[in-house]
Amino acid sequence: MSKYQVVVIGSGPGGYIAAIRSAQLGMKVAIIEKYDVLGGTCTNVGCIPSKALLDSSEHYHNAAHTFEEHGIATTGLKFDFKKMVDRKNGVVKANNDGIAFLMKKNKIDTYYGLGSFVTKNKIAVTNSKGEKQEIEAEKVIIATGSKPTNLPFLKVDKKRVITSTEALTLTEVPKHLVIIGGGIIGVELGSVYLRLGSKVTVVEFLDKIVPSMDEDISKELLRVLRKQGMEFMLSTKVTGATVKGKEVTVTAEDKKGAAVELKGDYCLVAVGRVPYTEGLNLEAIGLQLDEKKRIPINDHFETSVAGVYAIGDVVRGAMLAHKAEEEGAMLAELIAGQKPHINYNLIPGVAYTWPEAASVGATEAELITKGVAYKSGKFPFRALGRARASGDLDGFVKVLASQETDEILGVHILGARAADLIIEGVVAMEYRASAEDVSRMSHPHPTYTEAFKEACLTATENRPLNM
Ligand code: FAD
Ligand code: NAD
């Protein structure tokens, strides 16, 4: 029987990074993946395919709606949806192959099959043909991720009532896509199909969209997406969805209790994700889940069973690929005897709409709840030369800083390339910069980054230069 110092179950961003970092630190490592491709949710049915379709649909949208103002004619413009989806599949495959290469390069043994505990040091791997083998492990890292959650009264048939997984592999553009849930998946996949010509209606239970983000971002993103044509029914509770032929009827109640009915050809259920532990046979090692089906861990990712660890979507915290990656690297270093650290307050969140939304640190509501005295500096992109040049005028940068010390406590951006801009906020906050520190740094002109400097100038002394 093969013996390893570390066996990782699950090859998503948490698992494969934990495996690579463990191997880099000199350990003998194996990784187990139940599908025949590596990369997990993120690579196969999450971050990567959704961004590939977001990029393709954005090119089409720009060609159809913004090229003209740049003097570019697009007579006879059309798109080939199959080619778009094929390209997306190619992007996914390149990432699958890249991860498989990294496993080889780092001398990590890869087992394809369902991993399940026999004992805490013995894992059975059963492949798709039903063949079973066992491997031994000194330490086991569970990185089995999450799956879409469902509403108890809804039947997801995966054909007309679908999850994000099916929404990434449709063979036609929906005529009317009804989306349940105005969270990150709702606005991202809603944007893909809106840009390709679908009517998109988002039904959201709360009175706002992207509820995890700062209130100002949530409001402005709602306004911008409405302007683009996305329809929203807020404070509306879905009560059912029935399929008849190619038609889905979604029933709901608005905040006054009045019945609402929507008819579409597809209904995407995007109401969150739930940790995935099926098939692990956790009973064999006496490991129990918490009330949210997560694997409970201590600050060092160790479960209640010594030598068995868990990271990523299957444990507490934000369900984000980069959070899972940080945990994978940190855990490998802990096992190797190092003393690494993650500042969870500095894990940024992004919605890849256009304009993009990105946040790090405290929201204004959180500072109010904690009773922290703060200052807020906001700078709109429409006052920026770079944004005028590209025509991306929507959005703003908002910097929240301590009233007392001027330390930056939160950065919230809605605007062109916010997903990349946010890292300036992360670096500033990691080094505990004040808003004045950033406002005194030279930012290249003309760039979108100048909005960050201007927001810092506004936060620190209310003296923006370009407004
Ligand atoms: P996963 O990526 O879920 O990987 C777990 C792996 O474990 C899977 O491959 C699974 O098959 C395998 N597995 C499970 N059980 C077993 C078993 N018993 N034996 C063997 N293998 C097993 N996050 C971002 O940060 N940015 C984004 O842009 C983004 N976009 C997303 C878009 C969509 C549509 C979705 C659904 C998610 C998105 N996410 C994004 C979230 C991100 O995908 C997850 O947070 C991330 O994949 C979690 O990583 P993980 O390693 O914990 O688990
Ligand atoms: P989410 O938690 O972001 O949003 C779910 C939304 O559904 C919420 O707004 C919630 O109020 C709403 N909702 C819940 N029950 C409802 C009901 N009965 N009727 C109407 N609305 C209801 O979850 P998601 O969008 O499904 O995404 C799942 C996870 O995947 C998230 O944790 C997210 O972090 C991750 N993800 C991240 C990215 C990214 O980083 N860009 C992209 C996609 C997904």
Side-chain angles (χ1 to χ4, degrees):
M1 192 185 308
S2 299
K3 288 186 181 171
Y4 298 92
Q5 282 165 291
V6 173
V7 168
V8 183
I9 309 179
S11 72
Y16 85 77
I17 291 294
I20 292 174
R21 190 71 189 111
S22 301
Q24 283 177 344
L25 290 163
M27 291 178 249
K28 189 170 183 230
V29 185
I31 192 163
I32 306 171
E33 171 53 54
K34 75 172 180 162
Y35 291 117
D36 56 5
V37 285
L38 303 179
T41 304
C42 175
T43 305
N44 296 293
V45 291
C47 327
I48 300 300
S50 60
K51 266 82 256 180
L53 287 181
L54 276 157
D55 278 330
S56 297
S57 61
E58 195 184 313
H59 285 314
Y60 174 70
H61 175 88
N62 283 338
H65 299 283
T66 65
F67 275 19
E68 203 185 336
E69 72 183 62
H70 292 267
I72 305 167
T74 52
T75 321
L77 180 75
K78 58 182 184 186
F79 66 89
D80 180 339
F81 185 57
K82 184 179 177 308
K83 200 165 174 183
M84 247 179 222
V85 173
D86 287 349
R87 177 189 174 275
K88 179 266 301 179
N89 293 340
V91 172
V92 169
K93 176 148 188 339
N95 280 271
N96 295 142
D97 294 347
I99 298 166
F101 166 78
L102 289 173
M103 295 302 108
K104 265 202 190 119
K105 185 187 162 210
N106 287 285
K107 303 193 170 42
I108 296 162
D109 287 347
T110 304
Y111 292 84
Y112 292 97
L114 184 78
S116 56
F117 284 93
V118 179
T119 68
K120 78 183 184 73
N121 298 109
K122 198 186 283 177
I123 310 291
V125 185
T126 312
N127 70 16
S128 51
K129 291 181 197 143
E131 297 157 347
K132 193 167 169 174
Q133 61 177 314
E134 289 181 352
I135 56 176
E136 267 184 43
E138 279 172 34
K139 316 266 188 207
V140 180
I141 300 176
I142 303 171
T144 49
S146 62
K147 65 171 185 181
T149 193
N150 192 14
L151 299 168
F153 48 85
L154 275 195
K155 184 175 166 353
V156 174
D157 65 5
K158 299 192 178 182
K159 291 189 177 77
R160 294 286 155 184
V161 182
I162 59 177
T163 70
S164 55
T165 302
E166 294 76 46
L168 292 165
T169 48
L170 291 180
T171 51
E172 61 178 356
V173 174
K175 290 181 188 66
H176 183 189
L177 176 62
V178 179
I179 302 179
I180 307 177
I184 306 288
I185 291 182
V187 295
E188 285 190 3
L189 294 182
S191 293
V192 167
Y193 289 107
L194 181 77
R195 294 165 187 171
L196 297 179
S198 301
K199 174 178 159 121
V200 175
T201 310
V202 176
V203 186
E204 167 58 53
F205 178 70
L206 299 175
D207 60 358
K208 57 182 164 192
I209 59 167
V210 290
S212 57
M213 290 203 156
D214 188 87
E215 193 89 20
D216 279 354
I217 298 278
S218 161
K219 274 189 197 147
E220 184 66 1
L221 184 60
L222 178 66
R223 189 190 68 78
V224 171
L225 290 176
R226 275 191 167 143
K227 195 173 75 177
Q228 290 172 12
M230 202 178 284
E231 293 179 10
F232 290 91
M233 301 177 80
L234 303 182
S235 307
T236 303
K237 193 169 93 185
V238 171
T239 51
T242 48
V243 181
K244 209 171 175 191
K246 291 182 176 177
E247 191 177 71
V248 191
T249 305
V250 176
T251 50
E253 268 176 21
D254 71 12
K255 66 177 161 202
K256 291 182 189 138
V260 177
E261 196 180 85
L262 285 161
K263 286 189 191 301
D265 48 348
Y266 290 92
C267 168
L268 165 62
V269 184
V271 293
R273 293 178 65 84
V274 62
Y276 184 80
T277 52
E278 281 154 43
L280 277 173
N281 195 24
L282 295 178
E283 308 76 44
I285 56 168
L287 214 169
Q288 279 172 359
L289 305 179
D290 71 10
E291 72 292 349
K292 290 185 173 166
K293 298 192 175 172
R294 300 174 297 199
I295 297 182
I297 48 166
N298 64 18
D299 288 347
H300 288 174
F301 309 109
E302 196 160 23
T303 67
S304 57
V305 181
V308 176
Y309 303 82
I311 53 168
D313 279 12
V314 82
V315 302
R316 83 284 177 272
M319 287 185 168
L320 294 173
H322 43 288
K323 177 259 191 189
E325 288 186 23
E326 292 304 322
E327 292 184 338
M330 173 165 163
L331 175 53
E333 289 168 7
L334 282 169
I335 291 173
Q338 297 183 359
K339 293 190 169 53
H341 172 71
I342 293 174
N343 184 346
Y344 282 97
N345 186 43
L346 295 189
I347 294 190
V350 175
Y352 294 81
T353 44
W354 195 265
E356 294 170 338
S359 287
V360 66
T363 62
E364 209 161 335
E366 283 164 359
L367 293 178
I368 292 168
T369 308
K370 285 186 191 152
V372 178
Y374 68 94
K375 312 175 281 183
S376 171
K378 215 170 173 185
F379 190 84
F381 279 101
R382 65 177 53 251
L384 209 65
R386 183 71 189 89
R388 280 198 218 104
S390 68
D392 293 303
L393 300 174
D394 287 318
F396 55 82
V397 175
K398 176 165 126 176
V399 170
L400 302 170
S402 162
Q403 183 73 53
E404 201 186 334
T405 65
D406 199 38
E407 179 177 348
I408 298 175
L409 303 173
V411 180
H412 307 283
I413 310 176
L414 182 79
R417 303 185 198 171
D420 296 290
L421 294 179
I422 196 66
I423 195 62
E424 184 175 1
V426 177
V427 173
M429 289 175 69
E430 179 66 44
Y431 289 94
R432 304 198 57 181
S434 65
E436 185 181 354
D437 287 334
V438 173
S439 73
R440 291 188 180 280
M441 290 175 193
S442 172
H443 285 64
H445 175 76
T447 60
Y448 301 103
T449 67
E450 288 170 287
F452 190 54
K453 174 179 171 153
E454 293 277 3
C456 283
L457 276 167
T458 313
T460 190
E461 282 182 339
N462 198 17
R463 56 171 187 89
L465 293 165
N466 284 286
M467 196 170 60

